[in-house]
Amino acid sequence: MRIGLLIYGDIESISGGYLYNRKLVSNLKNQGYDVQIIELPMRGYWHNVFDNFNDRLLSRILGAKVDVLIQDAMVHPSVFLLNYRLRKRIMIPVIALVHLLTTFDYHPFYRRWYYRLIEQGYFNSVTGMIINSQTTLAQIKELIPTPIAPYCVAVPAGDNFSNINNDSQSHQRKCFDKQVLDILVVGNVIRRKGLHILIHALRELADDCIQVTVVGRLDMEPRYVAKMKQLVIRFQLQGQVTFKGVMQGDALATAYQENHLMVLPSAYESYGIVYVEALQFGLPVIGTSSGAAKEIIQHGDNGYLIPPENPYSLAVLLKTLQKDRELLSTLSQNALISYAHQPRWTDSCEIIRKFIHAHSNLLSTQTH
């Protein structure tokens, strides 16, 4: 079977969605599938809309001669009308791989209505969907009031590091071995990830016994990054907050190992691979009650869920964990236990592989 994957930009890009795409492609290739990646340039939203009337894009897809076309749903502005033209030419499964809905992302109110209309049109144009969480599924059902296309739910996994020593005693020692509470933030520095909430919480604490390491891209929202660095200076937190930029592989694993806690108070997460990664290293995680973090974080067990945009609630938790190392140790042990119950990439990719075959057979039956 020849499978196409339509994406924006470079599949090696740094984000949870692109990691999911890479894992899926690798798994399918390892099982003998021919996978063709069709990359579209990353441009402005409205520029992408004109792709629907571009015969060259239609010709590229047709020229790939695939049996199944998977589309990272972020490409929806480029294909929400083109998919109908495509299906008039060849009757193949067109499956949306849904990481995050633009409609529910952080946008000014005056943009949301047309994002909603275009995204509704897109999900009505596909024959099937691969969905990354129950939370995303609920949003799709909210967006599309009519019955949605056949789907499977295949959550991202966190087994992205090999040869990790998860000795429980070493995790316990780490919780008690220093007075400073070391906090790790793993996420591209964009407003939705909520770094400003953590910085404001640190201001509330006025305590140099907390150190924060920020890992993630600094080039996606330069104005926001500049504002965060200005806040650090304004609140006199230069000695507490360090921006490391992108870290991957062994360097990222070391960052997880050297910290006590992972904090990512996002306004919204469609799942949160980094939460699962942190659990693997015995790091309790703090996210927000908005989005899919609640599918990973059990409040008070392996971490905490705070209201979005609430630095005071975060400050209270950080102060408690900085002082109560018995509690931190218990949360750390629970993190390791909860990680053991998380799915692995092989599990999620197998769900997708079976869905592709079942959906292809169903569509073929309906066609004939």
Side-chain angles (χ1 to χ4, degrees), residues 3-8 21 57 61 68-76 78-80 82-83 86 93-99 122-123 125-130:
I3 299 174
L5 174 62
L6 185 66
I7 63 172
Y8 281 146
N21 293 347
L57 176 55
I61 296 173
V68 176
L69 179 63
I70 300 175
Q71 300 173 339
D72 183 315
M74 295 307 294
V75 306
H76 71 270
S78 294
V79 294
F80 74 103
L82 185 141
N83 279 343
L86 175 65
V94 178
I95 301 174
L97 175 52
V98 192
H99 302 297
Y122 172 68
F123 287 117
S125 78
V126 299
T127 64
M129 290 183 283
I130 301 162

Side-chain angles (χ1 to χ4, degrees), residues 151-202:
Y151 65 87
C152 70
V153 176
V155 301
D159 56 327
N160 300 316
F161 306 92
S162 59
N163 303 319
I164 300 303
N165 179 17
N166 278 332
D167 176 57
S168 61
Q169 291 184 349
S170 67
H171 288 286
Q172 285 184 316
R173 286 195 300 270
K174 183 173 70 174
C175 292
F176 296 99
D177 64 0
K178 55 193 297 190
Q179 183 179 4
V180 173
L181 180 67
D182 291 316
I183 296 173
L184 182 64
V185 179
V186 182
N188 295 327
V189 183
I190 58 177
R191 192 186 192 286
R192 178 169 57 83
K193 299 293 184 179
L195 180 60
H196 58 284
I197 303 302
L198 176 55
I199 293 174
H200 280 280
L202 293 178

Side-chain angles (χ1 to χ4, degrees), residues 124 140-149:
N124 282 324
I140 292 172
K141 290 181 175 180
E142 178 183 340
L143 183 69
I144 309 296
T146 56
I148 64 175

Side-chain angles (χ1 to χ4, degrees), residues 6-42:
L6 185 66
I7 63 172
Y8 281 146
D10 185 353
I11 196 169
E12 298 299 328
S13 298
I14 308 299
S15 77
Y18 283 100
L19 174 61
Y20 191 121
N21 293 347
R22 291 194 297 272
K23 292 291 187 180
L24 176 58
V25 169
S26 176
N27 183 275
L28 290 173
K29 285 184 175 180
N30 287 341
Q31 296 197 49
Y33 293 87
D34 181 1
V35 182
Q36 300 295 313
I37 300 172
I38 306 170
E39 296 179 347
L40 303 180
M42 300 186 75

